[in-house]
Amino acid sequence: MGSSSLMWFRKGLRLHDNPALEHAAKGTDFVYPVFVIDPHYMDPDPAAFSPGSARAGVNRIRFLLESLSDLDSNLRKLGSRLLILKGEPGEVLVRCLEQWDIKKLCFEYDTDPYYQALDARVQKYVSSMGIEVYSPVSHTLFDPRAIIEKNGGKPPLTYQSFVKLAGQPSWASSPVSTGLSSIPPLGDVGAVHISSVPTIEELGYENIGQIVLQHEFSPFKGGESEALKRLERSCDDKGWVAKFEKPKGDPSSFEKPATTVLSPYLKVSDMLTIASASVCLFVLTDYATSKEVCSVAQTFSLYLNFQIYIVLCLRSLVVYLSVYRNVKHHTSPPVSLLGQLLWRDFFYTAAFGTPNFDKMKGNRICKQIPWDDNSELLAAWRDGRTGYPWIDAIMVQAVSESYESNHMSCSFINGAGCTILLGIVLPVSLLVFIHWEKGRDVFERLLIDSDWAINNGNWLWLSCSSFFYDYNRIYSPISFGKKHDPNGNFIRHFLPVLKDIPKEYIYEPWTAPKSIQIKAKCIIGKDYPSPVVAHDSASKECKKKLAEAYALNRKLNGAVNEDDLRNLK
Ligand code: FAD
């Protein structure tokens, strides 16, 4: 038997730009490409508020399964296949390493605490066995460890300081590597139980056939192939790419989203290297002479020698190159597309360098605030029953499993629709004083791009617990939506019960006279809920409580304890 290596796939479910896979394939007779179905994330939880496991909604799981199928089919084109195993990943892996006599274990470095702990257990075993381990950083543009080290052991806590430390991303600093034309064949899988990619029903999820069926119409299908297509499509409009400026753009535009909708792919298929490659051209164009641009093109043309996966990327790049050569102006970070990717790295770095990043307690960068525990209000928000149509439509878009097919396409969107809308409107208006951890948990299950570092980071931000502290800046669930979508098309689409409410009442249907409600066949309080809180008084109360909590944090220099918080309530 020749030498064998094991490629342990976790998030980076892709063949292209995958340094761990490349290393696994180098100088090896057999490669075992493995994915472990982890009960921690995947086992059904009947007690959860919507179908899925305790941590992931059924759409997230479905998206993952689609990504696995795509990876499997891409591996098969190269004469291999994905080996699916089930169980506690550490134990499963050790069994495989022993049975297959593995000499080299390769996997993408992961900064999430769950994977840090898992990887430490695996590394301990592996080093006692003399197995080589290769675990490169390829999920982010920069290595969070290096940034933290540069900053004297602490993560930078402002975007500007992060960008300064990180420097300009470039072809050299982003983890772009080659693709693979072939990988060594599979060895004998012997006594280890292997399955092919399971269906969602085989995972134990019942009564969701309808959801899966409806989802077939969704544009957000998982997988590397889909990711590459999406990147190409999303960047097809050169003017749009050059002018991209967040948060400008219409957040209510559900048929043609105002952003790239690449985040689910960045999460699972890890499109980052390619996406970053494309937006890095913005940087290049700052000073690019045609000579420099050509040298980038030449670097990429090398990849042509490899295989099909990179070709799509190359094609996009060639298009971009010609665009950028002709573009006089383009936006810059933090608002540009490149700027968005830097936000991603910023949150990854902050999360990695901050113990208890996902909690208020014990988190040194998080303001201690005596949040309320109002499960009724939380459930009303989560289930789209607040009585504020703009908020409810957003939640229906994120949550709903009961739409007809064409609606489904937007129902399980990533953050794109939701984040601008929910993010800005929600924490300081309707969630009012509910703990950000509760909102975070809802997003974690529902969003298909759900990502530990980014989700926690954005909730910390939007609850004014960290990074951003202007708690007086409250967005209205009425006027914010109206500005972008005066006719309420977004609301009418996702809340058909309100479809005949006249334009002047669509954002505040409770103000419509009874006769109008009857004519629109929508009686407020019966067919659609009355508002669960009065926004004006709720937001005033929220500001007052936040001001008190901030004052206490200042006085005690952050060392606030539970008694202090109780006294504030
Ligand atoms: P684009 O605007 O096209 O940006 C391109 C890429 O930049 C995105 O795909 C994403 O990787 C990155 N990016 C953009 N905005 C942000 C941001 N605010 N923070 C970090 N990275 C960003 N994003 C997730 O990927 N997973 C999450 O779990 C998540 N939870 C969020 C929770 C809240 C409360 C809020 C307000 C935002 C959250 N975001 C999350 C961030 C962001 O809203 C989404 O990444 C973005 O909307 C995805 O849409 P897009 O791919 O079209 O983004």
Side-chain angles (χ1 to χ4, degrees):
M1 177 103 173
S3 67
S4 302
S5 65
L6 192 153
M7 172 63 207
W8 182 15
F9 282 101
R10 293 110 67 97
K11 283 182 190 148
L13 303 178
R14 66 185 192 276
L15 297 189
H16 72 270
D17 298 341
N18 193 332
L21 178 59
E22 290 226 354
H23 192 77
K26 210 178 284 166
T28 304
D29 295 317
F30 302 106
V31 174
Y32 294 84
V34 165
F35 183 87
V36 183
I37 300 230
D38 183 349
H40 178 76
Y41 286 111
M42 308 279 269
D43 269 4
D45 178 8
F49 67 84
S50 69
S53 76
R55 290 180 177 77
V58 79
N59 290 290
R60 239 182 95 191
I61 293 175
R62 187 241 344 120
F63 191 86
L64 174 68
L65 295 179
E66 286 170 355
S67 305
L68 290 173
S69 291
D70 189 56
L71 178 64
D72 181 47
S73 109
N74 288 337
L75 281 164
R76 283 175 194 268
K77 285 179 203 153
L78 301 179
S80 181
R81 64 178 269 226
L82 187 61
L83 306 173
I84 304 274
L85 296 103
K86 192 171 179 203
E88 196 287 309
E91 284 167 22
V92 170
L93 217 68
V94 166
R95 219 167 57 234
C96 294
L97 295 172
E98 279 171 356
Q99 294 233 359
W100 296 333
D101 192 22
I102 299 291
K103 296 285 180 283
K104 197 161 56 170
L105 171 65
C106 303
F107 54 91
E108 186 176 66
Y109 185 74
D110 198 313
T111 49
D112 289 5
Y114 179 76
Y115 283 102
Q116 285 279 308
L118 173 61
D119 294 355
R121 291 201 300 279
V122 170
Q123 295 256 14
K124 199 166 155 207
Y125 168 81
V126 166
S127 50
S128 72
M129 299 293 293
I131 296 170
E132 179 199 337
V133 176
Y134 184 65
S135 182
V137 172
S138 56
H139 190 65
T140 43
L141 279 174
F142 300 95
D143 183 343
R145 295 169 298 189
I147 304 261
I148 291 169
E149 200 186 310
K150 259 194 198 172
N151 199 38
K154 285 187 176 168
L157 296 179
T158 65
Y159 182 83
Q160 287 71 16
S161 57
F162 169 80
V163 170
K164 210 163 157 194
L165 281 163
Q168 295 278 34
S170 68
W171 298 110
S173 66
S174 51
V176 177
S177 74
T178 58
L180 293 151
S181 55
S182 65
I183 58 172
L186 269 182
D188 183 5
V189 290
V192 179
H193 180 72
I194 312 280
S195 74
S196 47
V197 179
T199 63
I200 202 145
E201 285 83 2
E202 281 164 356
L203 280 180
Y205 294 93
E206 288 168 2
N207 304 323
I208 52 159
Q210 194 60 16
I211 295 168
V212 176
L213 196 71
Q214 285 169 337
H215 175 75
E216 284 170 16
F217 299 93
S218 168
F220 307 119
K221 192 168 184 284
E224 174 186 18
S225 307
E226 187 59 31
L228 289 168
K229 277 190 228 153
R230 180 143 207 106
L231 171 70
E232 202 179 28
R233 271 201 311 268
S234 72
C235 297
D236 218 22
D237 180 346
K238 326 297 178 302
W240 180 82
V241 172
K243 286 186 202 139
F244 184 96
E245 187 176 349
K246 229 175 178 176
K248 286 188 187 159
D250 181 359
S252 65
S253 167
F254 56 91
E255 265 155 6
K256 187 176 185 307
T259 56
T260 61
V261 195
L262 281 172
S263 54
Y265 304 100
L266 284 163
K267 165 67 194 289
V268 183
S269 302
D270 230 26
M271 280 283 296
L272 186 66
T273 53
I274 289 184
S276 63
S278 57
V279 293
C280 280
L281 286 168
F282 288 121
V283 178
L284 279 171
T285 49
D286 278 340
Y287 53 86
T289 62
S290 49
K291 197 172 140 222
E292 279 164 313
V293 172
C294 283
S295 84
V296 175
Q298 266 164 16
T299 312
F300 266 78
S301 71
L302 288 176
Y303 296 125
L304 261 183
N305 300 332
F306 289 90
Q307 43 53 63
I308 55 164
Y309 302 105
I310 208 79
V311 171
L312 260 181
C313 152
L314 178 69
R315 206 188 302 150
S316 317
L317 283 165
V318 171
V319 174
Y320 303 150
L321 284 175
S322 63
V323 173
Y324 297 132
R325 268 207 207 125
N326 297 318
V327 162
K328 275 206 185 121
H329 303 290
H330 58 80
T331 50
S332 305
V335 298
S336 61
L337 268 174
L338 171 61
Q340 303 315 303
L341 288 178
L342 292 174
W343 279 116
R344 182 178 185 269
D345 263 53
F346 167 70
F347 283 124
Y348 262 90
T349 308
F352 183 58
T354 308
N356 299 315
F357 188 71
D358 58 349
K359 297 177 186 67
M360 179 178 83
K361 282 189 203 156
N363 178 348
R364 69 178 177 81
I365 68 165
C366 179
K367 292 251 184 268
Q368 302 298 302
I369 294 170
W371 301 107
D372 290 341
D373 187 10
N374 186 334
S375 52
E376 266 176 41
L377 197 53
L378 181 77
W381 165 70
R382 184 193 70 201
D383 302 340
R385 295 185 279 105
T386 65
Y388 285 89
W390 176 246
I391 302 284
D392 292 342
I394 294 161
M395 286 315 284
V396 165
Q397 185 196 36
V399 177
S400 171
E401 290 138 8
S402 56
Y403 280 124
E404 63 254 32
S405 54
N406 59 336
H407 289 185
M408 282 295 289
S409 63
C410 293
S411 300
F412 299 102
I413 199 160
N414 58 345
C418 307
T419 46
I420 301 177
L421 308 169
L422 271 183
I424 294 173
V425 177
L426 178 139
V428 278
S429 55
L430 284 168
L431 261 195
V432 196
F433 223 62
I434 298 176
H435 206 308
W436 60 269
E437 290 173 21
K438 304 270 183 190
R440 180 273 321 275
D441 289 346
V442 171
F443 268 32
E444 185 176 315
R445 286 196 82 250
L446 295 180
L447 300 187
I448 54 174
D449 64 356
S450 170
D451 180 296
W452 186 83
I454 307 180
N455 194 21
N456 280 295
N458 276 283
W459 275 100
L460 280 163
W461 178 295
L462 284 158
S463 62
C464 298
S465 294
S466 195
F467 307 117
F468 175 82
Y469 305 105
D470 185 0
Y471 55 79
N472 282 310
R473 200 168 140 196
I474 291 187
Y475 287 79
S476 157
I478 297 157
S479 55
F480 182 78
K482 218 183 243 179
K483 194 172 94 193
H484 291 283
D485 180 15
N487 191 44
N489 295 338
F490 180 82
I491 294 171
R492 292 175 207 281
H493 181 84
F494 287 104
L495 297 174
V497 67
L498 295 172
K499 73 179 181 350
D500 294 324
I501 294 280
K503 182 180 163 184
E504 51 272 47
Y505 302 111
I506 189 78
Y507 284 88
E508 303 167 86
W510 62 94
T511 62
K514 204 59 174 220
S515 57
I516 300 232
Q517 295 185 22
I518 293 171
K519 197 163 165 227
K521 296 195 186 61
C522 180
I523 307 297
I524 301 307
K526 179 169 161 268
D527 302 311
Y528 179 74
S530 304
V532 283
V533 291
H535 177 252
D536 281 354
S537 53
S539 57
K540 263 187 210 131
E541 178 72 9
C542 180
K543 280 187 211 172
K544 186 174 148 271
K545 286 184 175 175
L546 281 168
E548 286 165 6
Y550 265 50
L552 185 71
N553 277 263
R554 256 194 314 272
K555 188 167 139 210
L556 301 179
N557 207 6
V560 182
N561 63 37
E562 288 198 24
D563 285 339
D564 300 322
L565 290 185
R566 227 170 282 127
N567 290 336
L568 268 189
K569 281 208 174 197

